[in-house]
Amino acid sequence: MNIPVEPFKIKMVEPIQLLPREERERWLREAGFNLFKIPAEAVFIDLLTDSGTSAMSDRQWAALMQGDEAYAQSRSFFRFQEVVQSITGLPHVIPAHQGRAAENILFSVLVKPGDVVPNNIHFDTTRANIEYLGATALDCVIDEAYDPYREHPFKGNMDIHKLQQAIRTYGRERIPLVMLTITNNSGGGQPVSMENIRQVSQLCREHRIPFFFDAARFAENSFFIQQREPGYQNKSIADIAREMFSYVDGCTMSAKKDALVNIGGFLALRDDELAQKVKDLLILKEGFPTYGGLAGRDLEAMAAGLQEVVQESYLSHRVAQVAYLGQLLQEKGIPVVKPFGGHAIYVDARALVPHIPQEQFPGQAIVVALYREGGIRAVEIGSLMFARQTEAGNWEFPRMELVRLAIPRRVYTVSHLQFVAQTLGTIQQRAADLKGFRIRSAPPFLRHFTVELEELQ
Ligand code: F0G
């Protein structure tokens, strides 16, 4: 197996430690077995998310010092705007403090109660923002996406027939926009092909429905297109990204992923009138449109990060590092979603702990075991996140029960990943002993963040 050698060296370190087992056990109980409630200092290797957890480069840190903190028309905004425009080709660049703020503002302008918003698979914040407005978030990804072992180069693709069906059923009046999440986080970090983007774009244009990207991992998606889609091998990442964005009317972006920063986001839009409406609301909710809830220095760091993220040396290591963990797990016979995603490896919890039924959260059983065994923090993407009760009181479960091992960008080395694989190997040997969970208390929205659980005996 090729070792993914880091294309950087370490200039600054942050100590981490594996607490004694009894302390980990105590933290689990205090947190109601919810890893979002465990202090980060009690975590050894934190694979909870790749969001906002990147290590910034020396150039980004240097850029921070050049932040212009003017309230209006800051120099840093213009630099940021120029970089986003050069990558996306979209004229209106509107900062927001993170992805969900951009979503909230865009949807507040476009979406009304009773509307339907199709996506390949909505990420939980886009789904929640849409539902909060009284509309329906509809997933239209290809069926292959729901088979964890089905090899498909672009498993994040939208099923065009499902989208056509949605347009027929609801009519374009009830579909204020169509989205594509690149890469498709909730479906395993899988990419969307350029051909699919083009087809969705064409269909939307025919029906005069605005088409948007949820672009959080646009660079990783571009890299997969370069590697896997015929005709793109000799194109640069910047050219591929530019082509992708040429097919949309705009995007929401969580810069905490593919802009290599710890906080930030933006909207990029084509339409002047929509941009004006978005800016009007932005002033109310986020701040003046040249800072959008961020400091000038944050805009500088995003600008520098966006330039680094489209470099091939960065992306080829990034994707290889994630695949390396996937291969280590696969060699041990641990069931993982294939092909490997761009930002994370997803363990198929139902296959690893088949004795735990969906209503007892099999993914969470593995998440808890990872922390118990190795101080590793991961996240469940399954029933705990998505199961819901119908009006008749029945439970509807998601089709997959996954555990996501998200890899922060430029943070962990090969040996950290080896430790993660070793820990999962130990868990696998004792998988039959793992227990399910029951909910003790939960809020109505985004419950996985604050839910408390009880371990079943
Ligand atoms: N869209 C996608 C595809 C995401 O993955 C996320 C965040 C967001 C939007 C929201 O962005 O956090 O800046 O408000 N995903 C993180 C994750 C939280 O762990 O996958 P945000």
Side-chain angles (χ1 to χ4, degrees):
M1 194 188 310
N2 284 338
I3 294 177
V5 183
E6 290 79 15
F8 50 81
K9 55 184 178 173
I10 295 163
K11 191 177 293 209
M12 193 186 282
V13 295
E14 181 181 350
I16 51 175
Q17 61 165 335
L18 178 59
L19 292 181
R21 186 175 280 268
E22 320 73 75
E23 281 187 48
R24 301 203 297 271
E25 196 58 45
R26 186 170 57 78
W27 278 122
L28 277 174
R29 282 167 202 286
E30 267 183 38
F33 298 95
N34 181 346
L35 278 285
F36 282 98
K37 294 191 165 182
I38 287 185
E41 278 200 310
V43 174
F44 183 42
I45 296 183
D46 203 346
L47 308 184
L48 185 65
T49 178
D50 63 322
S51 179
T53 51
S54 301
M56 292 207 295
S57 68
D58 50 359
R59 285 179 196 194
Q60 283 177 288
W61 281 105
L64 279 182
M65 298 303 293
Q66 295 174 357
D68 172 4
E69 305 302 343
Y71 187 93
Q73 316 299 344
S74 109
R75 182 186 62 232
S76 301
F77 170 73
F78 292 107
R79 180 167 141 60
F80 167 67
Q81 176 179 252
E82 192 185 321
V83 173
V84 176
Q85 284 172 340
S86 76
I87 288 176
T88 65
L90 294 163
H92 299 286
V93 178
I94 303 162
H97 82 272
Q98 64 182 91
R100 70 199 69 182
E103 291 156 18
N104 178 275
I105 286 168
L106 181 71
F107 299 154
S108 298
V109 170
L110 290 179
V111 178
K112 32 179 220 319
D115 281 353
V116 176
V117 181
N119 199 331
N120 41 7
I121 303 184
H122 285 275
F123 182 67
D124 54 353
T125 58
T126 68
R127 184 182 308 281
N129 265 308
I130 288 165
E131 290 175 353
Y132 192 70
L133 289 166
T136 303
L138 183 71
D139 295 337
C140 296
V141 75
I142 54 172
D143 286 340
E144 287 88 334
Y146 294 109
D147 177 349
Y149 307 108
R150 180 74 173 267
E151 290 280 356
H152 185 296
F154 294 102
K155 239 173 155 175
N157 280 355
M158 183 86 93
D159 186 322
I160 298 295
H161 299 295
K162 288 183 194 168
L163 182 58
Q164 276 167 332
Q165 184 62 43
I167 297 172
R168 262 199 302 275
T169 309
Y170 303 106
R172 68 164 281 269
E173 299 73 30
R174 284 181 64 192
I175 304 183
L177 77 160
V178 169
M179 292 194 94
L180 260 182
T181 306
I182 55 170
T183 58
N184 185 26
N185 185 7
S186 306
Q190 302 291 332
V192 179
S193 72
M194 193 73 87
E195 189 190 8
N196 192 249
I197 292 169
R198 219 178 283 128
Q199 287 170 341
V200 174
S201 172
Q202 199 180 333
L203 191 60
C204 287
R205 212 165 325 127
E206 278 166 23
H207 293 274
R208 294 188 319 274
I209 300 171
F211 173 34
F212 280 75
F213 283 146
D214 176 345
R217 301 178 180 85
F218 78 94
E220 289 163 10
N221 201 87
S222 305
F223 184 75
F224 283 121
I225 287 176
Q226 189 198 52
Q227 298 299 305
R228 297 181 183 170
E229 189 157 352
Y232 288 92
Q233 277 68 23
N234 298 322
K235 296 225 161 105
S236 72
I237 299 299
D239 283 346
I240 292 171
R242 185 74 183 235
E243 185 184 337
M244 288 191 324
F245 284 103
S246 74
Y247 298 118
V248 292
D249 297 294
C251 71
T252 58
M253 172 77 187
S254 168
K256 300 172 75 172
K257 288 80 170 172
D258 273 355
L260 299 170
V261 290
N262 306 117
I263 194 72
F266 60 85
L267 286 142
L269 305 171
R270 208 178 287 287
D271 185 73
D272 301 344
E273 201 181 317
L274 177 61
Q276 194 50 54
K277 285 186 185 154
V278 162
K279 283 184 201 173
D280 291 345
L281 193 58
L282 191 91
I283 292 177
L284 184 66
K285 293 196 169 180
E286 289 282 280
F288 193 75
T290 59
Y291 75 86
L294 295 164
R297 56 180 169 271
D298 296 326
L299 300 173
E300 292 281 349
M302 278 201 284
L306 284 167
Q307 287 176 317
E308 289 175 14
V309 83
V310 294
Q311 287 171 13
E312 251 173 78
S313 56
Y314 162 78
L315 278 171
S316 60
H317 167 261
R318 165 75 181 150
V319 170
Q321 183 191 37
V322 174
Y324 178 73
L325 176 61
Q327 279 159 13
L328 291 179
L329 296 181
Q330 204 176 302
E331 279 172 9
K332 290 181 190 297
I334 294 162
V336 286
V337 172
K338 295 290 295 296
F340 304 134
H343 67 293
I345 293 299
Y346 295 71
V347 176
D348 178 4
R350 262 201 288 200
L352 188 53
V353 285
H355 62 288
I356 301 179
Q358 279 190 288
E359 59 270 24
Q360 295 180 10
F361 312 115
Q364 192 63 13
I366 294 165
V367 166
V368 168
L370 273 164
Y371 183 74
R372 240 179 205 146
E373 203 56 48
I376 297 161
R377 179 154 67 169
V379 69
E380 189 257 17
I381 301 194
S383 291
L384 192 58
M385 199 178 260
F386 294 126
R388 59 185 58 213
Q389 229 164 349
T390 60
E391 273 162 25
N394 303 324
W395 279 97
E396 270 177 10
F397 294 106
R399 291 167 75 166
M400 292 192 285
E401 295 288 343
L402 304 177
V403 172
R404 185 182 73 170
L405 305 167
I407 316 290
R409 295 169 180 77
R410 306 192 289 208
V411 171
Y412 293 117
T413 63
V414 161
S415 59
H416 291 119
L417 301 181
Q418 289 169 344
F419 177 80
V420 173
Q422 178 187 306
T423 306
L424 261 167
T426 310
I427 292 170
Q428 182 193 29
Q429 281 160 19
R430 295 191 223 123
D433 299 335
L434 296 195
K435 306 277 196 292
F437 287 85
R438 193 165 68 81
I439 290 183
R440 204 162 60 196
S441 62
F445 280 105
L446 297 173
R447 74 172 168 206
H448 52 287
F449 290 129
T450 51
V451 66
E452 297 209 351
L453 300 159
E454 234 167 76
E455 193 165 28
L456 297 165
Q457 291 314 318

